[in-house]
Amino acid sequence: MSSQTPKTVVSAKDISIRFGQVQALEDISFDVHEGEFVAIIGPNGAGKSTLIKIALGLKKADTGTIGLFEDGRSLKPSDIGYVPQLKTFDRTFPAQVIELVVSGLRHNWVWSASKQETILARKALDEVGAGHLAARALSSLSGGELQRVFLARAMVREPNIIFLDEPATGVDTLAEHDLYHLLENYLKRQPRAVVVMITHDLSVARFHSDKVLVLNRRLFNCGTPEEVMTEACLKAAFGHQGHGHSLKFA
């Protein structure tokens, strides 16, 4: 008996968008199925963050659509978690860790959390190994600690989709390794969920993802790391020769 085909969780069809005279994305189509860890790679200015923002509803494509869930269910805020780039966050914002995580439950800032919200936030922090940070000020955290807190915020409602935009930027190597381990464990606990992550680290895409999107305004390839992360594809997408990508994967 053949196994059941995994359901489609994210389906992009012919996504294009321009900013003035710049074609940011052109005819992007791909599917993400439940249980997949997906890496999006490409050079700076390739449109990676723009694609995530379209999926999140923060930007509107000129043409095409990104559909979430093939079963036609009504999309709820709890279905999606988002971990932004650390460099976009104001580290001087006067708040505690627990407040930031609780904001993931309401999707707005929380000045007074309920007992149940606090319990859920502490549980999410414990799951990412940051329970001891609950009462800390955000401004006192290291890059790795802050990334764990943002991951707890994204996971607090146990979403079916987690989007991450270069989550390892500004994070040390040990904290980066822990981050990928946490994401892989989340997919084990939530086998119908998906993780979609922008990364500039090709070795991360190679060794941690199930599917890779090679993007530079258009989609150069989409498939398993072994299928798409070839020397020819990476040279074409990154636009230069002699990069030595293959040395990373020997």
Side-chain angles (χ1 to χ4, degrees):
M1 182 181 296
S2 61
S3 59
Q4 187 177 4
T5 303
K7 291 184 178 179
T8 302
V9 180
V10 182
S11 183
K13 303 295 183 186
D14 304 321
I15 293 291
S16 294
I17 186 171
R18 295 180 67 89
F19 299 117
Q21 299 301 310
V22 177
Q23 185 73 49
L25 293 170
E26 183 175 6
D27 296 329
I28 305 296
S29 297
F30 63 90
D31 291 329
V32 178
H33 301 100
E34 59 187 13
E36 288 186 330
F37 193 136
V38 179
I40 304 176
I41 63 173
N44 291 337
K48 303 183 298 293
S49 294
T50 297
L51 182 62
I52 292 291
K53 288 176 181 177
I54 292 172
L56 289 166
L58 301 176
K59 290 187 180 295
K60 182 176 175 56
D62 296 331
T63 60
T65 60
I66 295 185
L68 305 180
F69 307 111
E70 67 175 8
D71 55 13
R73 77 180 76 170
S74 297
L75 191 63
K76 306 184 296 296
S78 59
D79 288 323
I80 301 174
Y82 175 49
V83 179
Q85 293 186 46
L86 284 183
K87 64 184 180 182
T88 66
F89 178 71
D90 182 1
R91 296 291 293 272
T92 66
F93 187 69
Q96 290 185 328
V97 164
I98 194 73
E99 295 171 328
L100 180 65
V101 179
V102 170
S103 74
L105 289 166
R106 297 192 192 178
H107 292 276
N108 55 39
W109 195 252
V110 177
W111 299 108
S112 179
S114 69
K115 181 179 179 180
Q116 182 61 23
E117 287 173 330
T118 301
I119 289 171
L120 291 172
R122 288 187 178 277
K123 178 175 180 288
L125 284 167
D126 286 340
E127 287 177 348
V128 301
H132 62 292
L133 301 175
R136 289 267 299 275
L138 294 176
S139 60
S140 71
L141 302 182
S142 68
E145 289 171 337
L146 187 59
Q147 197 59 276
R148 283 177 182 263
V149 172
F150 267 107
L151 191 57
R153 181 183 184 275
M155 291 179 172
V156 69
R157 299 185 76 164
E158 298 186 341
N160 295 105
I161 309 170
I162 298 179
F163 291 107
L164 305 100
D165 192 347
E166 296 194 12
T169 300
V171 174
D172 62 49
T173 302
L174 181 59
E176 182 179 358
H177 175 79
D178 288 345
L179 171 69
Y180 304 132
H181 182 67
L182 290 166
L183 292 168
E184 289 163 352
N185 281 343
Y186 184 79
L187 287 177
K188 290 177 182 177
R189 297 197 309 271
Q190 304 284 344
R192 299 185 63 185
V194 301
V195 170
V196 180
M197 178 180 69
I198 295 172
T199 180
H200 65 275
D201 189 329
L202 301 186
S203 64
V204 169
R206 177 72 172 182
F207 296 114
H208 289 279
S209 65
D210 303 302
K211 178 179 288 183
V212 178
L213 276 61
V214 184
L215 184 71
N216 189 357
R217 302 189 182 184
R218 64 181 179 87
L219 189 61
F220 280 76
N221 216 332
C222 174
T224 67
E226 293 76 16
E227 290 170 340
V228 308
M229 296 186 71
T230 63
E231 189 75 8
C233 180
L234 294 176
K235 282 182 177 178
F238 283 79
H240 48 79
Q241 301 293 319
H243 197 290
H245 295 294
S246 61
L247 297 177
K248 289 179 176 287
F249 312 135

